[in-house]
Amino acid sequence: MGRAPCCDKANVKKGPWSPEEDTKLKSYIEQHGTGGNWIALPQKIGLKRCGKSCRLRWLNYLRPNIKHGGFSEEEDNIICSLYISIGSRWSIIAAQLPGRTDNDIKNYWNTRLKKKLLGNKQRKDKQARRGTSITTSSNSSTGLLIKQEITKRGTITNTNTSGILLNSNISMVPCADYNIISIDNQNPYWPELPVLTPSPYSNDGQPCYNDHSSIRRLLIKLGGRFTDDHDHDEYDVVGSTTGPHIPPPPALPAPALCNSAALFAQQAQYNTDNYGFVPQMLEHGQSSSSTSQLAELDHQESCIYNSVPDAQVLGGLEFLYGEGSTGNISKIDGIVNNSTTTTTHGTAEMGWGAEMSSMVYSTTAPNFVSEYQSAQESYMS
DNA sequence: AATGATTCCAACCGCCATCGT
DNA sequence: TACGATGGCGGTTGGAATCAT
Protein backbone atom coordinates (compact mmCIF):
# COMPACT_ATOMS: atom_id res chain seq x y z
CA MET A 1 0.00 0.00 0.00
CA GLY A 2 1.65 3.13 -1.19
CA ARG A 3 1.31 6.66 -0.05
CA ALA A 4 -2.02 8.34 -0.76
CA PRO A 5 -1.75 10.82 -3.62
CA CYS A 6 -1.97 14.48 -2.74
CA CYS A 7 -4.66 14.97 -5.34
CA ASP A 8 -6.86 13.05 -7.71
CA LYS A 9 -4.34 12.17 -10.37
CA ALA A 10 -7.03 11.26 -12.85
CA ASN A 11 -8.60 14.70 -12.81
CA VAL A 12 -5.54 16.92 -12.82
CA LYS A 13 -3.83 18.31 -15.86
CA LYS A 14 -0.12 17.73 -16.18
CA GLY A 15 2.55 19.16 -18.38
CA PRO A 16 3.28 22.71 -19.44
CA TRP A 17 1.14 25.51 -18.16
CA SER A 18 -0.94 27.51 -20.59
CA PRO A 19 -0.95 31.32 -20.48
CA GLU A 20 -4.58 31.17 -19.34
CA GLU A 21 -3.68 28.98 -16.38
CA ASP A 22 -0.79 31.26 -15.52
CA THR A 23 -3.04 34.29 -15.62
CA LYS A 24 -5.66 32.65 -13.43
CA LEU A 25 -3.16 31.54 -10.84
CA LYS A 26 -1.21 34.75 -10.78
CA SER A 27 -4.17 37.07 -10.54
CA TYR A 28 -5.78 34.99 -7.84
CA ILE A 29 -2.69 34.85 -5.67
CA GLU A 30 -2.01 38.54 -6.17
CA GLN A 31 -5.53 39.36 -5.03
CA HIS A 32 -6.13 36.76 -2.36
CA GLY A 33 -2.83 35.17 -1.53
CA THR A 34 -2.43 31.45 -1.32
CA GLY A 35 -4.77 31.15 1.62
CA GLY A 36 -2.23 28.98 3.29
CA ASN A 37 -3.43 25.94 1.46
CA TRP A 38 -1.99 25.06 -1.89
CA ILE A 39 -3.95 21.86 -2.17
CA ALA A 40 -7.27 23.69 -2.02
CA LEU A 41 -6.11 26.54 -4.24
CA PRO A 42 -6.69 25.01 -7.68
CA GLN A 43 -10.27 24.16 -6.80
CA LYS A 44 -10.94 27.73 -5.72
CA ILE A 45 -9.54 29.07 -8.95
CA GLY A 46 -11.05 26.42 -11.13
CA LEU A 47 -7.76 25.01 -12.29
CA LYS A 48 -7.43 21.33 -12.98
CA ARG A 49 -3.99 21.24 -11.46
CA CYS A 50 -2.41 19.63 -8.46
CA GLY A 51 -1.85 22.04 -5.60
CA LYS A 52 1.79 21.21 -5.57
CA SER A 53 1.99 22.01 -9.22
CA CYS A 54 0.41 25.41 -8.57
CA ARG A 55 2.86 26.08 -5.80
CA LEU A 56 5.79 25.16 -8.01
CA ARG A 57 4.53 27.24 -10.87
CA TRP A 58 4.10 30.24 -8.64
CA LEU A 59 7.43 29.91 -6.88
CA ASN A 60 9.50 29.12 -9.92
CA TYR A 61 7.87 31.21 -12.58
CA LEU A 62 4.98 33.49 -11.70
CA ARG A 63 6.28 35.01 -8.48
CA PRO A 64 7.38 38.64 -8.91
CA ASN A 65 11.04 39.53 -9.41
CA ILE A 66 12.07 36.16 -10.72
CA LYS A 67 15.16 36.17 -12.88
CA HIS A 68 15.70 33.52 -15.50
CA GLY A 69 18.96 32.67 -17.20
CA GLY A 70 21.87 35.03 -17.63
CA PHE A 71 23.81 33.98 -14.58
CA SER A 72 26.65 36.36 -13.88
CA GLU A 73 30.20 35.40 -12.99
CA GLU A 74 29.55 36.55 -9.46
CA GLU A 75 26.54 34.31 -9.24
CA ASP A 76 28.59 31.46 -10.63
CA ASN A 77 31.12 32.02 -7.89
CA ILE A 78 28.52 32.09 -5.19
CA ILE A 79 26.87 28.95 -6.44
CA CYS A 80 30.16 27.10 -6.73
CA SER A 81 31.36 28.23 -3.37
CA LEU A 82 28.17 27.34 -1.62
CA TYR A 83 27.91 24.02 -3.36
CA ILE A 84 31.37 23.17 -2.18
CA SER A 85 30.53 24.33 1.29
CA ILE A 86 27.08 22.91 1.82
CA GLY A 87 26.37 20.60 -1.08
CA SER A 88 23.16 20.49 -3.02
CA ARG A 89 21.07 22.56 -0.67
CA TRP A 90 19.55 24.46 -3.52
CA SER A 91 17.03 26.36 -1.48
CA ILE A 92 19.79 27.67 0.75
CA ILE A 93 21.93 28.60 -2.21
CA ALA A 94 18.96 30.26 -3.87
CA ALA A 95 18.44 32.35 -0.78
CA GLN A 96 21.81 33.95 -1.42
CA LEU A 97 20.84 34.92 -4.94
CA PRO A 98 17.88 37.28 -5.00
CA GLY A 99 15.49 36.54 -7.81
CA ARG A 100 16.81 33.06 -8.40
CA THR A 101 14.87 29.95 -7.62
CA ASP A 102 16.25 26.72 -6.30
CA ASN A 103 15.03 24.97 -9.41
CA ASP A 104 16.83 27.43 -11.65
CA ILE A 105 20.06 27.09 -9.74
CA LYS A 106 19.76 23.35 -9.65
CA ASN A 107 19.24 23.24 -13.39
CA TYR A 108 22.06 25.68 -13.98
CA TRP A 109 24.38 23.63 -11.84
CA ASN A 110 23.45 20.32 -13.43
CA THR A 111 23.62 21.56 -16.98
CA ARG A 112 26.48 24.01 -16.94
CA LEU A 113 28.45 24.68 -13.80
CA LYS A 114 29.05 21.05 -13.00
CA LYS A 115 30.36 20.46 -16.47
CA LYS A 116 32.54 23.51 -16.25
CA LEU A 117 34.05 22.35 -13.00
CA LEU A 118 34.36 18.73 -13.91
CA GLY A 119 35.75 19.70 -17.27
CA ASN A 120 38.40 21.74 -15.51
CA LYS A 121 39.08 18.84 -13.20
CA GLN A 122 39.54 16.45 -16.06
CA ARG A 123 41.92 18.84 -17.74
CA LYS A 124 43.87 19.25 -14.53
CA ASP A 125 43.95 15.52 -13.98
CA LYS A 126 45.41 15.03 -17.40
CA GLN A 127 47.93 17.73 -16.68
CA ALA A 128 48.85 16.09 -13.41
CA ARG A 129 49.28 12.74 -15.05
CA ARG A 130 51.69 14.24 -17.52
CA GLY A 131 54.03 15.06 -14.68
CA THR A 132 54.92 17.43 -11.90
CA SER A 133 54.09 20.98 -12.73
CA ILE A 134 53.55 24.38 -11.31
CA THR A 135 50.66 26.31 -12.68
CA THR A 136 49.03 29.58 -12.00
CA SER A 137 45.80 30.30 -13.70
CA SER A 138 42.75 32.42 -13.54
CA ASN A 139 39.73 30.28 -13.97
CA SER A 140 37.70 32.25 -16.44
CA SER A 141 34.56 30.26 -15.96
CA THR A 142 34.30 30.83 -12.26
CA GLY A 143 36.42 33.91 -11.89
CA LEU A 144 38.57 32.25 -9.30
CA LEU A 145 42.25 32.88 -9.03
CA ILE A 146 43.90 29.55 -8.54
CA LYS A 147 47.50 28.77 -7.90
CA GLN A 148 48.51 25.19 -7.69
CA GLU A 149 51.81 23.61 -7.02
CA ILE A 150 52.38 19.91 -7.17
CA THR A 151 55.52 19.06 -5.34
CA LYS A 152 57.80 16.10 -5.77
CA ARG A 153 56.26 14.31 -2.83
CA GLY A 154 52.78 14.60 -4.23
CA THR A 155 51.72 17.43 -2.02
CA ILE A 156 49.44 20.05 -3.40
CA THR A 157 49.52 23.62 -2.28
CA ASN A 158 46.48 25.55 -3.24
CA THR A 159 45.99 29.24 -3.00
CA ASN A 160 42.67 30.49 -4.03
CA THR A 161 40.61 33.53 -3.42
CA SER A 162 37.69 31.50 -2.27
CA GLY A 163 39.66 30.30 0.69
CA ILE A 164 38.22 26.85 0.79
CA LEU A 165 40.10 24.46 2.94
CA LEU A 166 39.55 20.77 2.60
CA ASN A 167 41.80 18.76 4.74
CA SER A 168 42.35 16.93 7.93
CA ASN A 169 45.43 16.95 10.10
CA ILE A 170 46.04 20.58 9.62
CA SER A 171 47.51 23.44 11.53
CA MET A 172 48.71 26.92 10.83
CA VAL A 173 52.20 28.12 10.27
CA PRO A 174 52.82 31.84 10.16
CA CYS A 175 53.46 33.28 6.76
CA ALA A 176 53.70 36.82 5.54
CA ASP A 177 50.99 36.67 2.94
CA TYR A 178 49.05 33.54 3.57
CA ASN A 179 48.13 31.15 6.25
CA ILE A 180 50.13 28.04 5.56
CA ILE A 181 48.62 24.81 6.72
CA SER A 182 51.00 22.07 7.69
CA ILE A 183 50.17 18.42 7.91
CA ASP A 184 49.90 16.17 10.93
CA ASN A 185 50.09 18.79 13.56
CA GLN A 186 47.66 18.02 16.31
CA ASN A 187 46.97 21.60 17.23
CA PRO A 188 43.84 22.72 15.53
CA TYR A 189 43.95 26.16 14.14
CA TRP A 190 41.51 27.62 11.74
CA PRO A 191 42.53 30.08 9.17
CA GLU A 192 41.09 33.51 8.86
CA LEU A 193 37.53 33.59 9.96
CA PRO A 194 35.29 36.48 9.16
CA VAL A 195 33.89 38.79 11.74
CA LEU A 196 30.23 38.90 11.00
CA THR A 197 29.58 41.97 12.98
CA PRO A 198 27.87 44.22 12.59
CA SER A 199 25.16 41.81 11.75
CA PRO A 200 23.39 42.35 8.47
CA TYR A 201 20.21 42.46 10.45
CA SER A 202 21.22 44.63 13.32
CA ASN A 203 20.40 47.90 11.65
CA ASP A 204 16.77 47.37 10.94
CA GLY A 205 15.53 46.07 14.18
CA GLN A 206 15.94 42.46 13.22
CA PRO A 207 17.69 40.22 15.66
CA CYS A 208 21.33 39.25 15.25
CA TYR A 209 22.13 35.70 14.32
CA ASN A 210 25.73 35.47 15.26
CA ASP A 211 24.90 33.79 18.49
CA HIS A 212 24.76 30.23 19.56
CA SER A 213 21.05 30.03 19.97
CA SER A 214 20.45 31.09 16.39
CA ILE A 215 22.93 28.63 15.05
CA ARG A 216 21.47 26.04 17.28
CA ARG A 217 18.03 26.72 15.88
CA LEU A 218 19.47 26.44 12.46
CA LEU A 219 21.16 23.14 13.09
CA ILE A 220 17.98 21.79 14.53
CA LYS A 221 16.20 22.89 11.43
CA LEU A 222 18.83 21.24 9.33
CA GLY A 223 18.31 17.97 11.06
CA GLY A 224 20.42 18.15 14.18
CA ARG A 225 18.98 18.05 17.61
CA PHE A 226 20.28 18.92 21.01
CA THR A 227 19.58 16.96 24.12
CA ASP A 228 19.25 20.22 25.93
CA ASP A 229 16.08 20.93 24.09
CA HIS A 230 14.72 20.29 27.53
CA ASP A 231 17.80 20.86 29.57
CA HIS A 232 20.20 23.61 28.72
CA ASP A 233 23.04 21.97 30.54
CA GLU A 234 23.98 19.74 27.67
CA TYR A 235 25.06 20.39 24.16
CA ASP A 236 25.06 17.04 22.61
CA VAL A 237 23.94 16.34 19.13
CA VAL A 238 21.68 13.38 18.83
CA GLY A 239 22.99 11.02 16.23
CA SER A 240 26.54 11.60 17.19
CA THR A 241 26.61 8.67 19.56
CA THR A 242 30.29 9.01 20.18
CA GLY A 243 30.22 12.72 20.48
CA PRO A 244 31.74 14.36 23.49
CA HIS A 245 29.71 15.81 26.26
CA ILE A 246 30.21 19.49 25.86
CA PRO A 247 29.57 22.06 28.53
CA PRO A 248 27.52 25.13 27.71
CA PRO A 249 29.47 27.46 25.47
CA PRO A 250 30.74 30.80 26.58
CA ALA A 251 29.24 33.85 24.95
CA LEU A 252 31.58 34.09 22.01
CA PRO A 253 31.24 36.22 18.94
CA ALA A 254 30.64 34.78 15.53
CA PRO A 255 34.31 34.36 14.63
CA ALA A 256 34.35 31.30 16.80
CA LEU A 257 32.18 29.70 14.19
CA CYS A 258 33.16 28.94 10.69
CA ASN A 259 31.78 30.88 7.80
CA SER A 260 29.48 28.14 6.74
CA ALA A 261 27.95 27.87 10.14
CA ALA A 262 27.31 31.56 10.10
CA LEU A 263 25.86 31.20 6.66
CA PHE A 264 23.60 28.50 7.92
CA ALA A 265 22.56 30.69 10.78
CA GLN A 266 21.54 33.42 8.43
CA GLN A 267 19.73 30.97 6.27
CA ALA A 268 17.90 29.63 9.25
CA GLN A 269 16.48 33.00 9.92
CA TYR A 270 15.73 33.39 6.27
CA ASN A 271 13.75 30.22 6.37
CA THR A 272 12.01 31.37 9.46
CA ASP A 273 11.11 34.72 8.05
CA ASN A 274 10.29 33.26 4.66
CA TYR A 275 11.50 35.99 2.34
CA GLY A 276 13.40 39.20 2.36
CA PHE A 277 16.89 37.94 2.99
CA VAL A 278 19.72 40.10 1.76
CA PRO A 279 23.00 38.27 1.31
CA GLN A 280 25.06 40.85 3.05
CA MET A 281 27.32 38.29 4.56
CA LEU A 282 28.90 37.79 1.20
CA GLU A 283 29.24 41.50 0.72
CA HIS A 284 30.72 41.77 4.13
CA GLY A 285 33.16 39.06 3.30
CA GLN A 286 34.30 40.94 0.28
CA SER A 287 34.55 44.19 2.09
CA SER A 288 36.57 42.75 4.91
CA SER A 289 39.39 41.57 2.77
CA SER A 290 41.67 44.52 3.25
CA THR A 291 45.02 43.82 4.80
CA SER A 292 44.35 45.74 7.98
CA GLN A 293 41.04 44.05 8.50
CA LEU A 294 42.53 40.66 7.90
CA ALA A 295 45.27 41.43 10.36
CA GLU A 296 42.63 42.38 12.86
CA LEU A 297 40.83 39.16 12.15
CA ASP A 298 43.99 37.21 12.69
CA HIS A 299 44.48 38.90 15.99
CA GLN A 300 40.96 38.32 17.18
CA GLU A 301 41.01 34.72 16.09
CA SER A 302 44.28 33.93 17.71
CA CYS A 303 42.93 35.42 20.91
CA ILE A 304 39.87 33.29 20.69
CA TYR A 305 41.57 30.10 19.72
CA ASN A 306 44.46 30.44 22.05
CA SER A 307 42.53 31.40 25.10
CA VAL A 308 39.49 29.18 24.99
CA PRO A 309 39.47 25.42 25.05
CA ASP A 310 38.45 24.03 21.71
CA ALA A 311 35.31 22.40 22.94
CA GLN A 312 34.15 25.67 24.37
CA VAL A 313 34.96 27.52 21.24
CA LEU A 314 32.93 25.07 19.27
CA GLY A 315 30.17 25.27 21.76
CA GLY A 316 28.30 22.21 20.67
CA LEU A 317 29.06 22.70 17.01
CA GLU A 318 32.13 20.56 17.07
CA PHE A 319 30.38 17.85 15.17
CA LEU A 320 30.57 20.13 12.18
CA TYR A 321 34.25 19.69 12.13
CA GLY A 322 34.43 15.98 12.53
CA GLU A 323 35.07 13.62 15.34
CA GLY A 324 37.30 14.73 18.14
CA SER A 325 36.99 18.42 17.84
CA THR A 326 39.99 18.98 20.04
CA GLY A 327 42.18 16.96 17.75
CA ASN A 328 42.39 17.17 14.03
CA ILE A 329 39.89 19.54 12.68
CA SER A 330 38.70 19.59 9.15
CA LYS A 331 36.78 22.44 7.81
CA ILE A 332 35.95 24.49 4.88
CA ASP A 333 36.89 28.02 5.55
CA GLY A 334 34.04 29.36 3.54
CA ILE A 335 33.72 31.74 0.75
CA VAL A 336 35.16 34.98 1.90
CA ASN A 337 38.78 34.50 2.89
CA ASN A 338 42.13 34.06 1.32
CA SER A 339 44.06 31.08 2.50
CA THR A 340 46.73 28.71 1.43
CA THR A 341 46.30 25.05 2.05
CA THR A 342 48.65 22.18 1.82
CA THR A 343 47.03 18.84 1.33
CA THR A 344 48.41 15.41 0.96
CA HIS A 345 47.62 14.34 -2.51
CA GLY A 346 45.47 11.27 -2.64
CA THR A 347 44.30 11.24 0.93
CA ALA A 348 40.65 11.22 1.78
CA GLU A 349 39.83 14.86 1.65
CA MET A 350 36.66 14.68 3.68
CA GLY A 351 36.51 18.17 4.95
CA TRP A 352 33.85 20.00 6.79
CA GLY A 353 31.42 19.97 3.94
CA ALA A 354 31.54 16.29 3.34
CA GLU A 355 31.21 15.48 6.99
CA MET A 356 28.38 17.89 7.37
CA SER A 357 26.81 16.39 4.32
CA SER A 358 27.10 12.85 5.48
CA MET A 359 25.43 13.73 8.72
CA VAL A 360 22.85 16.27 7.84
CA TYR A 361 22.17 15.11 4.35
CA SER A 362 21.92 11.48 5.12
CA THR A 363 18.79 11.10 3.09
CA THR A 364 20.18 12.38 -0.15
CA ALA A 365 21.00 10.25 -3.13
CA PRO A 366 23.70 7.62 -2.72
CA ASN A 367 25.87 9.22 -5.34
CA PHE A 368 25.79 12.55 -3.60
CA VAL A 369 29.12 12.21 -1.88
CA SER A 370 31.04 11.14 -4.91
CA GLU A 371 29.76 13.95 -7.06
CA TYR A 372 30.07 16.40 -4.25
CA GLN A 373 33.61 15.35 -3.52
CA SER A 374 34.41 15.42 -7.16
CA ALA A 375 33.15 18.96 -7.36
CA GLN A 376 35.15 19.85 -4.29
CA GLU A 377 38.28 18.42 -5.78
CA SER A 378 37.58 20.10 -9.04
CA TYR A 379 36.98 23.41 -7.36
CA MET A 380 40.19 23.04 -5.46
CA SER A 381 42.24 22.08 -8.46
C1' DA B 1 17.60 19.75 -45.84
C1' DA B 2 17.40 15.69 -42.97
C1' DT B 3 18.49 13.39 -39.03
C1' DG B 4 20.60 11.97 -34.90
C1' DA B 5 22.87 13.76 -30.73
C1' DT B 6 23.09 16.92 -27.21
C1' DT B 7 21.57 20.62 -24.26
C1' DC B 8 18.43 22.89 -21.50
C1' DC B 9 14.73 23.60 -18.36
C1' DA B 10 9.90 23.25 -16.77
C1' DA B 11 7.54 20.12 -14.37
C1' DC B 12 6.84 15.91 -11.93
C1' DC B 13 7.79 12.51 -8.27
C1' DG B 14 8.56 10.89 -3.89
C1' DC B 15 10.48 11.53 0.55
C1' DC B 16 10.63 13.86 4.89
C1' DA B 17 9.26 17.46 8.27
C1' DT B 18 5.80 19.98 10.31
C1' DC B 19 1.30 21.07 11.69
C1' DG B 20 -3.34 20.34 13.21
C1' DT B 21 -6.74 17.40 15.07
C1' DT C 1 0.43 10.00 21.10
C1' DA C 2 -1.05 8.77 16.60
C1' DC C 3 -2.23 9.90 12.26
C1' DG C 4 -3.53 12.33 8.18
C1' DA C 5 -2.87 16.60 5.48
C1' DT C 6 0.13 19.75 3.72
C1' DG C 7 4.47 22.16 2.66
C1' DG C 8 9.10 22.02 1.24
C1' DC C 9 12.89 20.08 -0.86
C1' DG C 10 16.07 17.59 -3.95
C1' DG C 11 16.40 14.22 -7.66
C1' DT C 12 14.78 12.94 -12.01
C1' DT C 13 12.46 13.09 -16.42
C1' DG C 14 10.22 14.42 -20.87
C1' DG C 15 10.26 17.06 -24.56
C1' DA C 16 11.42 21.28 -27.01
C1' DA C 17 15.30 23.71 -28.79
C1' DT C 18 19.74 23.71 -30.56
C1' DC C 19 23.82 21.78 -32.52
C1' DA C 20 26.62 18.65 -35.34
C1' DT C 21 27.13 15.76 -39.11
Side-chain angles (χ1 to χ4, degrees):
Chain A
M1 181 96 175
R3 177 190 170 83
C6 66
C7 52
D8 183 2
K9 302 272 182 189
N11 289 322
V12 297
K13 185 183 170 190
K14 289 163 74 172
W17 281 64
S18 67
E20 291 77 24
E21 289 175 311
D22 281 347
T23 304
K24 271 187 179 179
L25 181 61
K26 193 174 184 199
S27 61
Y28 183 89
I29 293 178
E30 282 173 350
Q31 288 176 24
H32 305 98
T34 64
N37 189 340
W38 284 106
I39 301 299
L41 196 65
Q43 290 177 337
K44 291 180 188 170
I45 309 174
L47 283 175
K48 289 193 171 183
R49 289 279 180 177
C50 173
K52 279 189 167 188
S53 181
C54 292
R55 174 183 165 272
L56 216 58
R57 185 65 179 170
W58 170 256
L59 291 179
N60 288 339
Y61 197 82
L62 299 176
R63 186 161 52 108
N65 304 321
I66 292 289
K67 283 191 281 183
H68 290 286
F71 281 80
S72 66
E73 290 270 311
E74 188 182 1
E75 287 175 313
D76 283 3
N77 291 343
I78 293 171
I79 293 168
C80 289
S81 298
L82 288 175
Y83 185 87
I84 300 306
S85 295
I86 65 176
S88 57
R89 314 306 287 185
W90 304 119
S91 59
I92 294 175
I93 295 173
Q96 311 303 316
L97 301 171
R100 300 296 187 186
T101 69
D102 54 355
N103 208 38
D104 246 10
I105 292 170
K106 179 171 60 182
N107 283 332
Y108 185 56
W109 170 265
N110 284 330
T111 59
R112 301 192 195 183
L113 284 182
K114 186 166 72 177
K115 288 171 187 170
K116 270 188 191 177
L117 282 174
L118 295 183
N120 287 342
K121 173 180 165 55
Q122 283 163 3
R123 280 197 300 275
K124 301 264 178 176
D125 286 349
K126 282 180 186 172
Q127 246 182 3
R129 275 197 294 274
R130 278 201 297 269
T132 299
S133 64
I134 298 174
T135 61
T136 301
S137 65
S138 176
N139 183 328
S140 61
S141 64
T142 62
L144 298 170
L145 177 64
I146 294 169
K147 185 190 293 180
Q148 181 178 80
E149 175 179 352
I150 302 174
T151 69
K152 293 175 186 173
R153 291 179 300 172
T155 299
I156 297 176
T157 300
N158 278 332
T159 304
N160 61 62
T161 56
S162 70
I164 288 175
L165 168 60
L166 290 170
N167 194 20
S168 57
N169 304 338
I170 55 176
S171 68
M172 300 299 290
V173 173
C175 176
D177 297 315
Y178 302 104
N179 297 324
I180 307 297
I181 316 292
S182 68
I183 301 174
D184 294 333
N185 187 310
Q186 297 300 303
N187 299 321
Y189 186 95
W190 304 339
E192 302 158 2
L193 298 175
V195 178
L196 291 178
T197 53
S199 162
Y201 308 99
S202 58
N203 292 335
D204 57 5
Q206 300 281 347
C208 298
Y209 307 109
N210 297 333
D211 55 76
H212 273 282
S213 62
S214 299
I215 290 172
R216 204 163 152 276
R217 282 201 305 275
L218 161 73
L219 293 172
I220 290 167
K221 188 172 179 65
L222 286 172
R225 192 158 60 86
F226 294 81
T227 55
D228 74 331
D229 284 347
H230 305 289
D231 178 355
H232 283 261
D233 287 334
E234 291 186 7
Y235 275 66
D236 195 6
V237 176
V238 172
S240 175
T241 55
T242 59
H245 181 96
I246 307 298
L252 286 170
L257 306 167
C258 76
N259 295 344
S260 297
L263 172 68
F264 280 136
Q266 294 192 342
Q267 179 56 33
Q269 189 59 40
Y270 167 79
N271 287 338
T272 302
D273 293 340
N274 204 3
Y275 292 110
F277 176 80
V278 180
Q280 293 182 29
M281 189 194 81
L282 300 175
E283 296 164 13
H284 174 77
Q286 287 160 359
S287 67
S288 63
S289 59
S290 73
T291 305
S292 60
Q293 285 172 309
L294 289 175
E296 175 61 19
L297 285 178
D298 278 341
H299 173 69
Q300 291 179 9
E301 288 152 16
S302 66
C303 293
I304 289 166
Y305 299 132
N306 291 336
S307 61
V308 182
D310 293 320
Q312 290 182 2
V313 170
L314 293 168
L317 298 170
E318 65 287 340
F319 71 94
L320 292 175
Y321 311 104
E323 269 185 42
S325 62
T326 57
N328 303 328
I329 289 183
S330 307
K331 73 179 287 291
I332 292 176
D333 188 26
I335 56 178
V336 297
N337 303 316
N338 293 334
S339 72
T340 297
T341 71
T342 302
T343 74
T344 302
H345 191 50
T347 58
E349 295 180 352
M350 288 286 286
W352 180 92
E355 290 175 9
M356 181 68 176
S357 299
S358 64
M359 195 194 77
V360 176
Y361 314 143
S362 58
T363 61
T364 55
N367 64 347
F368 169 78
V369 170
S370 60
E371 183 174 288
Y372 174 64
Q373 280 185 285
S374 183
Q376 282 183 331
E377 289 168 11
S378 172
Y379 193 70
M380 291 295 296
S381 61

